[in-house]
Amino acid sequence: MDKLKKYKLKRNLRKTPEPIESKPGNKNIFVVQKHDASNLHYDFRIQIKDVLVSWAVPKGPSMDPSVKRLAIPTEDHPLSYADFEGTIPEGQYGAGTVMVWDIGTFENIKNQSLQDQKENGQIEIKLKGKKLKGNFSLVKFMGKKDFLDQKWLLIKMSDKYVSKKGDILKDKPNSAKSGKSLKKIS
Ligand code: MN
């Protein structure tokens, strides 16, 4: 089965600058894309095998473990999407500006495959981003088998990277790739 079928069906790839090819590497990559669509949100994506498994996080990540952020599953994206920063044209799916807000690699910190963790609704990973660092969990709290019908939470786990002061989204608003603001990208 083509894991990117849903991704391709939603897009006119002749009209959007978004990438199509997936090129598997040997590192687990993650990306958080700030997406100025009809509602500004943060797309949290982690590599599981040869795709980026994705959640839309309306309020974005927090470094405070007492803050639980809603994470809504979205369709798998190609690995090459991690690098995508640009503007999806008006009238296309997800129209608006996309910023690589954070990017890096991650480690699986549980003794279970990422695929199994996803199926069991509890993923624990250590992020090594430019902004997000340390352990995070993704926890399913609603929905059964179909990933796209589920609801999850993104939660910072306790470690030395915890910060209860400030807001990383406001303190570090610009691109981890280009240093640009949303305005400069658009
Ligand atoms: Mn989005």
Side-chain angles (χ1 to χ4, degrees), residues 33 35 37 41-43 45 56 74 94 98:
Q33 278 153 325
H35 187 184
H41 60 273
Y42 293 79
D43 289 300
R45 312 187 197 281
T74 56
V98 176

Side-chain angles (χ1 to χ4, degrees), residues 19 59 65 67 69 75 101 108 110-111 161:
K59 291 188 175 174
V67 174
R69 290 283 158 83
E75 76 278 12
W101 181 78
N108 176 3
K110 247 171 136 179
N111 193 14
Y161 298 105

Side-chain angles (χ1 to χ4, degrees), residues 8 11-18 20 89 92:
K8 290 172 188 166
R11 292 170 174 79
N12 182 340
L13 291 157
R14 282 175 295 133
K15 291 191 176 164
T16 174
E18 296 165 289
I20 182 62
Q92 298 303 301

